[in-house]
Amino acid sequence: MDLKGKNVLLIGLAKTGISTIKLLDKLEANITVNDIKTEEKLVDILEELKDIKNATYILGYHPEEVDHIDLAVVSPGVPLDLPFIQKLYSNNIKVIGEVELAYELSNNPTFIGITGTNGKTTTTSLVGEIFKAAKCDTYVVGNIGKPVIETVGIADEKSFLITELSSFQLESIVDFKPRVSMILNLSPDHLNRHHTMENYIMAKANIFKNQDKNDFTILNYNDEAVRALSSKCNSQVLYFSRKHQGVKGIYVNNEGNIVINIDKEIVLLHEDELSLPGGHNLENCMAATLAAYVSGIDIEVIREVLKTFKAVEHRLEYVKTVNGVMYVNDSKGTNPDSTIKAVTSYKKPIILIAGGYDKDSTYDELLDIAKQNVKALVLLGETASKIEACAKTKGFEIIKRVQNMKEAVETSAELANEGDVVLLSPACASWDMYTSFEVRGRDFKDNVNNL
């Protein structure tokens, strides 16, 4: 893709947008930058871009004239159904995301693409650690933090890009083709953006749409919505399952052994040897194993990493024990299904800190399950009243509303007894109060450490 002298519209000044602009400038494109935020709200970002000479900015509103544009690059947070983006489509102007742009500009690295509603970050990190332990030239990128575009000109045909992909990133895929794709699970999320579950699943399924018989797609056999996607795959489909023995891929047998079952059966290790707790992490480990195994990673390397891998930050992250109460940071729990996995990972009584940005989620299933061991709810953010109303119908008696994280932690400490767990797992995004779930998680940890 030669972009020299081309008119490129960059929509959205998020983290990926900054990296994309810098690369487009190196490629000598004529850049138009658009963001709905005003200049006053983008001071820090614009300061970072002050050395970019060949860019004009349209800030605070969207452009009306787009006929001169040769290519549009959309940041993940920007909805594709905006009128001016629809006009780009109708004018047959190519509209892609940062992941697709990076793919088209890359020097043929091997992509491992990982998506799903929950577990993406843990699985991506785990796969990355396995490849690094095998001494591969490895880049862990995508939705996990480092934009894929930053590897352009660095990664080559000997490199592996372990890529976490959100539905937002996948809905703008055109030619992106990973060697291995993976869908961990599917449950309602981001419906305020995708509007229907069908649209959400279609976006996720883009991860394998360009694959062929030489590639692999790894699917969760236990998730009916995920398993049903196998009929749409042109690649070699492998499954992971902790409930069904004998599936082609990897499964857990009656003795609790994890068994790779592709060309022959290989006992990997016992599930109790895994470093990560919980049934959901067992599935993450099995999926990661398949991705590494079909990529030629030695089985002993996989075993060792599975035994020693530490939980990623903000995902069931142990913070501190105070007065016999354990504090756990699961700020990455940004939807109800993710929080279900968190609360079912502990057998001890839980004080659950929840609430945040409303993604049109429902909380009935979460609260039905949480009733078993969550003894108190501490709620904050935009969805606090919505969760409280639902919790009252489920019979929760101890519900506290707070205004900020400091108050949430202090209130939880007052409610907790020795042996309890105070768990931040919001079941909501962070955008009503924080710029990211990472900032929210750090705020929780800071307040816990100040107890």
Side-chain angles (χ1 to χ4, degrees):
M1 178 187 283
D2 182 9
L3 294 177
K4 184 176 182 179
K6 299 290 186 180
N7 297 318
V8 180
L9 173 63
L10 187 285
I11 309 167
L13 265 176
K15 184 175 183 179
T16 58
I18 296 170
S19 300
T20 302
I21 291 169
K22 290 179 179 180
L23 180 63
L24 291 172
D25 189 54
K26 286 183 182 178
L27 297 175
E28 300 182 49
N30 299 319
I31 312 163
T32 301
V33 181
N34 174 234
D35 198 291
I36 196 65
K37 295 188 183 73
T38 61
E39 184 175 350
E40 291 74 22
K41 293 182 178 180
L42 294 168
V43 171
D44 292 341
I45 291 177
L46 294 174
E47 175 65 22
E48 192 172 343
L49 296 171
K50 65 182 180 181
D51 294 329
I52 303 297
K53 305 300 183 186
N54 198 24
T56 57
Y57 295 85
I58 301 173
L59 304 176
Y61 62 97
H62 293 308
E64 294 182 7
E65 296 299 322
V66 294
D67 295 345
H68 67 292
I69 298 299
D70 298 308
L71 173 70
V73 181
V74 184
S75 293
V78 179
L80 299 183
D81 56 2
L82 292 174
F84 84 105
I85 294 179
Q86 288 300 306
K87 185 176 181 181
L88 290 167
Y89 281 119
S90 64
N91 288 351
N92 293 317
I93 296 168
K94 191 173 185 178
V95 179
I96 60 176
E98 168 260 341
V99 172
E100 178 68 29
L101 179 64
Y103 178 79
E104 295 189 25
L105 292 171
S106 67
N107 189 20
N108 297 318
T110 298
F111 281 85
I112 310 291
I114 299 166
T115 196
T117 305
N118 298 305
K120 296 186 297 295
T121 298
T122 296
T123 306
T124 302
S125 300
L126 180 53
V127 174
E129 287 304 306
I130 294 172
F131 276 74
K132 290 175 185 176
K135 309 300 183 189
C136 298
D137 185 37
T138 306
Y139 301 85
V140 180
V141 293
N143 196 52
I144 198 166
K146 183 184 178 74
V148 186
I149 203 78
E150 291 185 9
T151 67
V152 173
I154 300 171
D156 58 25
E157 66 278 356
K158 296 179 182 179
S159 306
F160 290 88
L161 269 60
I162 317 302
T163 314
E164 178 184 329
L165 295 163
S166 69
S167 58
F168 296 172
Q169 291 168 312
L170 287 167
E171 67 181 349
S172 56
I173 290 302
V174 179
D175 296 316
F176 175 75
K177 180 178 179 289
R179 173 81 169 89
V180 180
S181 66
M182 182 190 303
I183 302 181
L184 296 168
N185 45 62
L186 291 168
S187 60
D189 197 17
H190 300 299
L191 297 187
N192 58 328
R193 165 76 168 260
H194 296 292
H195 306 303
T196 68
M197 188 64 183
E198 289 72 22
N199 290 343
Y200 176 61
I201 292 173
M202 284 173 57
K204 291 288 193 184
N206 277 345
I207 196 169
F208 59 70
K209 76 172 185 177
N210 295 313
Q211 288 186 294
D212 58 40
K213 62 182 180 180
N214 296 313
D215 304 314
F216 294 92
T217 298
I218 298 168
L219 301 176
N220 186 342
Y221 192 86
N222 300 332
D223 188 311
E224 292 184 11
V226 175
R227 189 169 74 238
L229 292 174
S230 62
S231 62
K232 302 180 184 297
C233 296
N234 295 316
S235 49
Q236 301 176 58
V237 176
L238 299 173
Y239 297 102
F240 61 93
S241 175
R242 59 186 170 107
K243 298 179 180 178
H244 295 83
Q245 296 187 39
V247 298
K248 184 175 182 180
I250 190 168
Y251 66 90
V252 181
N253 68 15
N254 286 332
E255 289 74 42
N257 292 313
I258 300 172
V259 181
I260 299 172
N261 180 34
I262 301 177
D263 300 321
K264 58 181 179 179
E265 289 200 346
I266 303 170
V267 175
L268 180 64
L269 42 65
H270 194 277
E271 60 180 320
D272 290 343
E273 296 180 79
L274 299 174
S275 64
L276 296 175
H280 62 293
N281 276 324
L282 170 57
E283 292 184 340
N284 296 337
C285 289
M286 289 194 291
T289 295
L290 281 181
Y293 184 78
V294 300
S295 300
I297 303 298
D298 185 83
I299 198 81
E300 289 300 329
V301 173
I302 299 172
R303 279 194 186 106
E304 186 59 28
V305 174
L306 292 178
K307 290 178 180 180
T308 59
F309 182 77
K310 304 299 182 189
V312 298
E313 189 180 14
H314 311 298
R315 170 55 78 207
L316 291 181
E317 177 194 8
Y318 171 75
V319 181
K320 190 178 182 181
T321 297
V322 182
N323 297 326
V325 177
M326 181 167 67
Y327 290 79
V328 178
N329 168 30
D330 193 55
S331 184
K332 188 73 168 62
T334 58
N335 58 66
D337 191 60
S338 182
T339 298
I340 288 172
K341 290 177 169 60
V343 299
T344 55
S345 294
Y346 300 95
K347 295 181 180 178
K348 299 177 179 180
I350 294 172
I351 291 86
L352 178 63
I353 301 174
Y357 178 80
D358 193 353
K359 295 192 287 183
D360 289 344
S361 299
T362 59
Y363 302 96
D364 293 88
E365 183 182 8
L366 164 61
L367 293 169
D368 282 334
I369 293 170
K371 194 74 170 63
Q372 298 172 27
N373 64 331
V374 172
K375 73 176 195 179
L377 293 168
V378 178
L379 305 175
L380 72 168
E382 188 175 281
T383 58
S385 58
K386 184 176 180 180
I387 297 174
E388 180 180 22
C390 186
K392 286 180 176 178
T393 69
K394 306 297 181 183
F396 279 86
E397 295 180 359
I398 305 176
I399 305 171
K400 302 292 184 180
R401 294 275 294 273
V402 296
Q403 296 301 311
N404 53 53
M405 191 62 73
K406 182 176 185 294
E407 192 179 339
V409 170
E410 291 175 349
T411 300
S412 298
E414 292 172 3
L415 293 169
N417 298 318
E418 184 176 348
D420 291 351
V421 177
V422 172
L423 172 65
L424 169 69
S425 190
C428 305
S430 59
W431 305 317
D432 58 332
M433 297 174 66
Y434 300 92
T435 56
S436 68
F437 71 83
E438 292 97 337
V439 176
R440 176 172 63 188
R442 286 193 289 270
D443 191 19
F444 173 75
K445 291 193 288 185
D446 286 345
N447 281 286
V448 169
N449 287 319
N450 287 333
L451 284 174

